[in-house]
Amino acid sequence: MESEMIKQEIELIIENYSNNKKLTENELFLLLENVLDTVISQGKFENTAQSFYNYANYIRIKNMVLDSSLGIPEILIPKIKIIIPIERRVLEKECKTRIYLGVFMVFFSIVCYLLFQNEFGVTPIFFIIGLLLFGLFSLFNGINILNKLKKNV
């Protein structure tokens, strides 16, 4: 009976959070604890944008709790320590995606330069340079963040 009331209260808090309503500190703590418990039980974050228990919502809720006047309660610290490896896997996956995207954009810009060099009389140089620079930025950004993650093991 009591667990049903807590589940209903958490569902109401999730609905209020989804509607961008201001949450009290107790509601934030309950919400963060619910997210932590769900992710720990699943062993991963949900990876769809529509789902509530995804990495982006976890970061938002955690930042909201950190911005509150009380900070993160001691009860949640062990649960957050359990979440850290799961969070690391998500970040490593994002970094690898950035690296692959960067390599693809650099390769694609070189291919575009070679293909369109004499095709239009003028090479679409701004497109190629922009693609190359964005690809290099994405590549080095992914490598940099991945190195920082590996140093903090």
Side-chain angles (χ1 to χ4, degrees), residues 103-115:
V103 167
F104 173 75
M105 286 190 291
V106 168
F107 179 73
F108 189 68
S109 66
I110 292 169
V111 169
C112 283
Y113 177 74
L114 295 174
L115 285 177

Side-chain angles (χ1 to χ4, degrees), residues 29-47:
F29 295 146
L30 279 173
L31 192 59
L32 181 61
E33 186 175 20
N34 181 10
V35 170
L36 290 172
D37 290 339
T38 303
V39 171
I40 289 171
S41 68
Q42 291 177 351
K44 64 178 183 167
F45 291 100
E46 294 178 0
N47 58 0

Side-chain angles (χ1 to χ4, degrees), residues 1 5 7 18 21 46 66 77 83 93 102 110-111 122:
M1 181 99 171
M5 287 179 49
K7 285 181 182 181
S18 299
K21 292 184 179 176
E46 294 178 0
L66 287 172
I77 301 277
I83 294 288
K93 185 178 175 183
I110 292 169
V111 169
V122 177

Side-chain angles (χ1 to χ4, degrees), residues 2 4 28 54-55 106 122 127 129-130:
E2 187 175 311
E4 276 186 37
L28 283 173
N54 60 25
Y55 180 68
V106 168
V122 177
F127 170 74
I129 290 174

Side-chain angles (χ1 to χ4, degrees), residues 6-150:
I6 292 174
K7 285 181 182 181
Q8 289 174 347
E9 186 175 340
I10 288 175
E11 287 176 13
L12 182 64
I13 294 170
I14 290 172
E15 184 179 321
N16 288 341
Y17 172 80
S18 299
N19 293 331
N20 293 326
K21 292 184 179 176
K22 182 112 172 114
L23 300 177
T24 65
E25 290 177 351
N26 284 341
E27 290 174 334
L28 283 173
F29 295 146
L30 279 173
L31 192 59
L32 181 61
E33 186 175 20
N34 181 10
V35 170
L36 290 172
D37 290 339
T38 303
V39 171
I40 289 171
S41 68
Q42 291 177 351
K44 64 178 183 167
F45 291 100
E46 294 178 0
N47 58 0
T48 60
Q50 294 82 17
S51 64
F52 179 74
Y53 300 102
N54 60 25
Y55 180 68
N57 278 340
Y58 165 70
I59 291 297
R60 254 185 245 117
I61 294 167
K62 186 171 80 170
N63 287 337
M64 289 168 67
V65 170
L66 287 172
D67 290 343
S68 71
S69 61
L70 299 177
I72 294 180
E74 294 292 324
I75 299 170
L76 298 181
I77 301 277
K79 291 180 181 183
I80 290 176
K81 287 182 179 178
I82 294 171
I83 294 288
I84 289 175
I86 299 170
E87 191 175 358
R88 180 180 297 275
R89 282 194 307 254
V90 170
L91 292 173
E92 285 177 355
K93 185 178 175 183
E94 286 179 5
C95 289
K96 288 178 183 178
T97 302
R98 285 183 186 180
I99 291 170
Y100 296 145
L101 183 64
V103 167
F104 173 75
M105 286 190 291
V106 168
F107 179 73
F108 189 68
S109 66
I110 292 169
V111 169
C112 283
Y113 177 74
L114 295 174
L115 285 177
F116 298 127
Q117 190 170 10
N118 295 320
E119 189 70 27
F120 301 114
V122 177
T123 307
I125 197 73
F126 292 119
F127 170 74
I128 293 170
I129 290 174
L131 191 62
L132 178 69
L133 291 176
F134 192 67
L136 288 173
F137 174 75
S138 179
L139 176 68
F140 290 126
N141 191 9
I143 291 171
N144 187 24
I145 295 173
L146 195 59
N147 283 337
K148 286 180 184 177
L149 283 174
K150 294 204 185 228

